[in-house]
């Protein structure tokens, strides 16, 4: 993007490149290396938590061998080979070089890395976790695969300028006024999880707007929704729901993860529950709306969902009830138009549920008015949908928890 | 729409509100279930959904998707009739025969749950099904006999 380049050039002139110079190279590390199994396992979990595969593995490519195109407003950057291959991967990188890349955004040769590699987040990761990640990556199968050339019209020197303006290195500092779980969540979310890389808006130069943290951002032409008080989630997230979502990519009252988030939740399914719970605890705390306001939002959304279910009931009505009930009593074989029915207006769905289930049958051997029984035809869910729909026809407010009443009735509660 | 009828999966191109009976007879050519009143009042259209007797003429196919549908054809063949069919043949429990498939299916639903059902229970269960010829006594006897055959009596 030309305007971005122009802005960076202007910035470079203003700041006079001070403190932006590249750094020295770090000598190759010893090879091969071995690591304790526990450390490698921990690194594996952290690699999932950081979704490293997302950028460092191409479609149909070997794991961590790079080649993934990452489209940014400034051009296309390719994820690099981070397998321990000596010539094309990071096989010659010592732990020191690896740590410097994550913490300072500089490669082993001392060149600035483009911030598509989210070192503005990874800088917060502790030495211990970086060492575990290193142990994991260095024990992967080395893949010989040359890195692809980035297509970014911005020289790396400008990245130094950008960093002097927007990048603050430093490990996560706990907030002593918060719980240990919250702090662990904040550490994982702000650090390796780099959630803000997508969920925080960026300025024209591609830097996260720190004062709008988690206010929603853009990624791969998808919108990454706000996680703070501006969260558009119809039912506001709870810690339990968010933990479930991060773990399974789906939560009962929320959408399935889709787009760029899909691979994130897929990776997070390999992360231990306590870590996910900590992340959920921190993220939910970002929504600073009052409990009352959150509850009100949830209730309104659930009511709209109820109307949707009533439409399901409408389909069942059209197939099972309309033949008689749309005709009215005047016609032979016709039955009452249901907005006139009393069973729809009483405070409980039970009367209507019993009538639909058992029909209305005269005593054995007697003549009398008659309606067929629908027991066996409708599942509990279908009966629930139908009851919700019929109640809406009555013009009365919805019955509370129709599904539970139907379950009770089907359990033989007469 | 996907329907599971007599253990076979069928893909049916029909409006979700279409009565199951129409699909059984016209699309799947299973003519055991009969069209009587079209209002769920006579029982000639009775089939089983997951073992429960239902009026297929007032059942939209949308509500039985994914459920196990059984029609008269699912109880046996002319060459190899099932116990319910053998009992009705043995006792010649048909006059015009139009209601008989529905009678057999509703009796089947009861006896699958309760093979030793009494004659009184069979009468009560068959209440929703009508017979205009007045063959009721034979129908009830045949259903009792079917229960015996299901329990392994010869």
């Amino acid at each position: 993007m030309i305007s971005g380049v122009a802005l960076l050039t202007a910035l470079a002139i203003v700041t006079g490149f001070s403190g932006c110079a590249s750094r020295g190279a770090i000598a190759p590390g010893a090879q091969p290396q071995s690591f304790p199994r526990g450390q490698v396992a921990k690194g594996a979990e952290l690699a999932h938590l950081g979704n490293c595969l997302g950028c460092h593995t191409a479609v149909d490519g070997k794991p961590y061998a790079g080649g993934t195109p990452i489209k940014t407003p400034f051009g296309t950057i390719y994820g690099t080979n981070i397998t321990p291959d000596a010539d094309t991967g990071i096989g010659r990188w010592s732990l020191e070089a690896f740590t410097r890349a994550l913490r300072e955004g500089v490669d082993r040769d001392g060149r600035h890395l483009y911030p598509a590699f989210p070192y503005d987040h990874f800088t917060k990761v502790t030495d211990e976790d970086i060492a575990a990640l290193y142990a994991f990556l260095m024990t992967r199968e080395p893949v010989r695969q040359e890195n692809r050339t980035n297509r970014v019209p911005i020289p790396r020197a400008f990245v130094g300028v950008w960093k002097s303006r927007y990048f603050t290195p430093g490990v996560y500092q706990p907030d002593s006024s918060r719980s240990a779980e919250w702090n662990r969540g904040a550490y994982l979310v702000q650090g390796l999880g780099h959630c803000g890389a997508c969920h925080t808006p960026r300025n024209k130069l591609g830097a996260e707007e720190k004062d709008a943290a988690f206010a929603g951002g853009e990624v791969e032409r998808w919108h990454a929704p706000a996680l703070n008080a501006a969260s558009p989630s119809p039912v506001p997230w709870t810690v339990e729901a968010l933990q479930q979502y991060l773990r399974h990519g789906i939560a009962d009252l929320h959408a399935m993860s889709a787009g760029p988030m899909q691979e994130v939740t897929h990776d997070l399914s390999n992360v231990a529950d306590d870590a996910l719970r900590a992340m959920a605890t921190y993220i939910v705390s970002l929504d600073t709306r009052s409990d009352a306001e959150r509850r009100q939002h949830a209730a309104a959304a659930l009511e709209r969902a109820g109307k949707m279910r009533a439409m399901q009931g409408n389909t069942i009505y059209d197939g099972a009830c309309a033949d008689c009930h749309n005709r009215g009593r005047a016609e032979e074989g016709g039955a009452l138009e249901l907005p006139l029915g009393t069973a729809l207006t009483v405070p409980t769905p039970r009367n209507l549920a019993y009538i639909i289930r058992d029909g209305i049958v005269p005593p054995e051997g007697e003549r009398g008015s008659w309606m067929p029984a629908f027991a066996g035809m409708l599942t509990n869910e279908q009966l629930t949908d139908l009851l919700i729909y019929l109640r809406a026809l009555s013009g009365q407010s919805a019955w509370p928890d129709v599904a539970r009443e139907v379950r009770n009735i089907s359990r033989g509660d007469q | 729409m996907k329907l599971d009828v007599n253990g076979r999966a069928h893909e049916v191109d029909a409006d979700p509100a279409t009565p199951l009976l129409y699909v059984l007879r016209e699309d799947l050519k299973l003519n055991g279930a009969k069209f009587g009143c079209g209002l769920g009042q006579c029982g000639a259209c009775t089939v089983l959904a997951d073992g429960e007797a239902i009026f297929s003429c007032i059942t939209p196919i949308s509500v039985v998707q994914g459920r196990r549908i059984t029609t008269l054809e699912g109880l046996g063949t002319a060459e190899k009739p099932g116990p319910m069919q053998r009992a009705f043949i043995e006792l010649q429990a048909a006059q015009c025969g139009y209601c008989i498939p529905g009678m057999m299916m509703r009796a089947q639903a009861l006896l699958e749950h309760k093979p030793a059902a009494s004659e009184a229970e069979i009468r009560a269960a068959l209440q929703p099904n009508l017979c205009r010829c007045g063959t009721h006594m034979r129908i009830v006897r045949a259903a009792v006999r079917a229960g015996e055959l299901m329990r392994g009596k010869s």
Side-chain angles (χ1 to χ4, degrees):
Chain A
M1 192 192 279
I2 299 305
S3 64
V5 177
L7 278 164
L8 272 171
T9 308
L11 190 61
I13 293 164
V14 170
T15 58
F17 283 88
S18 59
C20 314
S22 300
R23 307 280 300 275
I26 293 177
Q31 270 191 298
Q33 305 183 66
S34 68
F35 303 89
R37 273 171 62 181
Q39 191 184 30
V40 172
K42 185 181 175 194
E45 186 180 16
L46 291 170
H48 284 301
L49 204 148
N51 187 221
C52 306
L53 276 171
C55 292
H56 290 286
T57 304
V59 177
D60 297 330
K62 292 257 176 66
Y64 301 107
T68 329
I70 299 149
K71 290 194 175 121
T72 77
F74 308 96
T76 300
I77 292 177
Y78 293 92
T80 51
N81 184 344
I82 54 170
T83 69
D85 181 63
D87 297 324
T88 62
I90 58 169
R92 290 201 174 94
W93 291 44
S94 62
L95 174 60
E96 185 192 354
F98 184 75
T99 304
R100 184 173 74 170
L102 268 74
R103 193 153 294 144
E104 298 177 40
V106 175
D107 71 8
R108 191 178 72 85
D109 298 330
R111 296 180 308 163
H112 290 301
L113 291 164
Y114 288 112
F117 177 57
Y119 46 79
D120 48 341
H121 293 278
F122 296 166
T123 190
K124 293 174 189 279
V125 181
T126 62
D127 284 341
E128 187 189 342
D129 283 353
I130 290 177
L133 265 176
Y134 180 76
F136 170 72
L137 288 172
M138 288 316 220
T139 48
R140 296 310 89 199
E141 187 192 339
V143 178
R144 188 174 176 81
Q145 181 176 303
E146 293 290 343
N147 287 321
R148 297 177 69 176
T149 309
N150 295 323
R151 296 185 184 182
V152 185
I154 298 169
R156 286 188 188 263
F158 284 114
V159 176
V161 178
W162 186 93
K163 283 162 82 171
S164 70
R165 180 87 191 257
Y166 297 117
F167 174 55
T168 317
V171 177
Y172 174 78
Q173 298 301 316
D175 176 348
S176 58
S177 70
R178 300 284 199 156
S179 70
E181 186 171 53
W182 185 95
N183 270 299
R184 182 167 183 224
Y187 164 71
L188 295 173
V189 166
Q190 295 175 16
L192 203 51
H194 66 287
C195 306
C198 298
H199 290 277
T200 295
R202 293 178 183 271
N203 65 18
K204 283 208 171 88
L205 291 171
E208 289 179 30
E209 295 180 22
K210 299 290 181 203
D211 50 359
F214 301 109
E218 305 296 326
V219 54
E220 295 168 27
R221 297 185 174 272
W222 284 69
H223 179 77
L227 304 178
N228 60 12
S231 165
S233 181
V235 174
W237 288 97
T238 61
V239 174
E240 290 69 29
L242 188 54
Q243 183 186 355
Q244 187 189 8
Y245 178 80
L246 295 176
R247 177 73 141 146
H248 301 287
I250 188 166
D252 291 349
L253 299 176
H254 299 270
M256 289 188 281
S257 70
M261 189 64 193
Q262 198 176 23
E263 66 181 27
V264 174
T265 53
H266 183 72
D267 250 353
L268 290 178
S269 69
N270 296 289
V271 174
D273 276 326
D274 57 334
L276 296 179
R277 186 170 175 87
M279 291 169 80
T281 299
Y282 169 69
I283 292 170
V284 168
S285 81
L286 299 170
D287 180 353
T288 49
R289 289 174 294 180
S290 69
D291 281 353
E293 193 182 344
R294 287 161 51 84
R295 271 200 301 273
Q296 196 186 342
H297 267 273
L302 290 171
E303 183 170 343
R304 292 195 299 277
K307 286 190 177 138
M308 205 46 217
R309 287 198 66 173
M311 289 166 67
Q312 301 270 28
N314 193 352
T315 307
I316 296 169
Y317 174 89
D318 285 347
C321 321
D323 263 357
C324 298
H325 285 285
N326 278 5
R327 286 197 276 159
R329 286 264 168 74
E331 241 187 87
E332 192 182 341
L336 186 69
E337 296 91 337
L338 287 179
L340 304 176
T342 307
L344 280 66
T345 64
V346 297
T348 162
R350 305 180 80 87
N351 295 18
L352 193 52
Y354 291 139
I355 291 171
I356 294 170
R357 182 187 67 176
D358 302 332
I360 299 174
V361 185
E364 196 175 335
E366 301 287 327
R367 287 187 294 179
S369 305
W370 195 88
M371 165 173 153
F374 289 80
M377 182 217 283
L378 300 173
T379 62
N380 282 354
E381 290 73 27
Q382 290 165 346
L383 178 56
T384 301
D385 291 343
L386 183 58
L387 290 168
I388 290 170
Y389 169 69
L390 294 174
R391 176 66 168 181
L393 292 183
S394 77
Q396 310 269 341
S397 62
W399 281 312
D401 214 345
V402 179
R404 202 191 46 185
E405 284 283 20
V406 168
R407 275 199 306 276
N408 289 341
I409 289 169
S410 79
R411 282 189 194 123
D413 156 20
Q414 297 287 333
Chain B
M1 289 279 163
K2 283 199 173 71
L3 291 180
D4 170 358
V5 183
N6 299 331
R8 280 185 54 195
H10 296 272
E11 185 69 44
V12 176
D13 181 18
D15 188 287
T18 310
L20 174 62
L21 177 65
Y22 297 3
V23 170
L24 292 176
R25 292 181 60 85
E26 288 162 27
D27 295 307
L28 307 183
K29 308 295 180 200
L30 295 170
N31 295 317
K34 299 287 185 276
F35 182 93
C37 64
L39 300 170
Q41 296 197 5
C42 73
C45 66
T46 304
V47 300
L48 308 186
D50 288 337
E52 302 267 354
I54 62 169
F55 299 120
S56 64
C57 73
I58 53 169
T59 301
I61 51 173
S62 66
V63 306
V64 287
Q65 266 200 101
R67 319 235 317 254
R68 200 164 36 85
I69 313 286
T70 310
T71 69
L72 182 66
E73 291 87 345
L75 300 189
T77 60
E79 294 73 35
K80 210 176 168 194
M84 182 64 65
Q85 293 157 321
R86 280 190 275 135
F88 272 72
I89 293 166
E90 185 182 315
L91 289 155
Q92 288 294 293
Q95 183 63 27
C96 84
Y98 203 77
C99 73
I100 297 300
M103 293 285 186
M104 291 165 90
M105 295 315 289
R106 195 167 294 275
Q108 181 79 18
L110 172 69
L111 294 173
E112 276 182 13
H113 290 302
K114 197 173 182 186
S118 67
E119 187 183 314
E121 286 171 319
I122 289 171
R123 279 173 183 270
L126 291 178
Q127 275 292 314
N129 289 44
L130 306 183
C131 166
R132 288 189 62 169
C133 306
T135 324
H136 304 85
M137 303 312 285
R138 284 184 182 221
I139 291 169
V140 170
R141 277 207 295 277
V144 171
R145 177 69 182 137
E148 290 174 2
L149 292 175
M150 285 181 188
R151 298 199 300 279
K153 281 194 192 172
S154 56

